[in-house]
């Protein structure tokens, strides 16, 4: 059995989310951790890349800010 984790984030540093600590806390219990990173205005991507763990798979995406209805902004990949 393989255990996977997933999260999405955008502007994590600007918004003050403890995303680095959150990611580091889950790595010991998963086989892979997938992170969808929206195009950010801060160093969120660089901070996550600095973790250097083979379990992490990054998906870079563009979130269409005009699609707020029902959470669709998270599902648009460019």
């Amino acid at each position: 059995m393989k255990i996977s984790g997933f999260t999405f984030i955008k502007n994590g540093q600007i918004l003050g989310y403890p995303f680095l600590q959150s990611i580091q806390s889950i790595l010991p219990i998963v086989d892979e951790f997938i992170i969808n990173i929206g195009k950010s205005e801060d160093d969120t991507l660089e901070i996550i890349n600095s973790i250097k763990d083979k379990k992490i798979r990054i998906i870079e995406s563009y979130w269409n800010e005009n699609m707020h209805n029902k959470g669709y902004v998270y599902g648009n990949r460019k």
Side-chain angles (χ1 to χ4, degrees):
M1 178 176 15
K2 187 175 186 178
I3 299 174
S4 300
F6 172 80
T7 193
F8 54 88
I9 189 161
K10 177 181 174 184
N11 292 327
Q13 188 177 25
I14 289 173
L15 298 172
Y17 295 132
F19 64 94
L20 183 61
Q21 295 85 350
S22 177
I23 293 167
Q24 290 171 328
S25 72
I26 197 169
L27 289 175
I29 61 172
V30 296
D31 297 303
E32 70 173 350
F33 192 65
I34 302 162
I35 307 169
N36 181 318
I37 303 176
K39 183 164 175 53
S40 297
E41 300 163 4
D42 62 13
D43 295 330
T44 298
L45 177 60
E46 290 80 10
I47 292 168
I48 293 172
N49 276 328
S50 75
I51 298 172
K52 305 266 189 244
D53 192 304
K54 293 179 181 180
K55 294 180 180 181
I56 295 175
R57 185 164 59 107
I58 294 173
I59 300 170
E60 294 182 56
S61 62
Y62 170 79
W63 298 0
N64 184 343
E65 298 297 333
N66 295 320
M67 297 179 68
H68 289 287
N69 187 25
K70 298 182 183 176
Y72 292 132
V73 67
Y74 304 120
N76 189 21
R77 186 166 179 215
K78 188 174 185 180

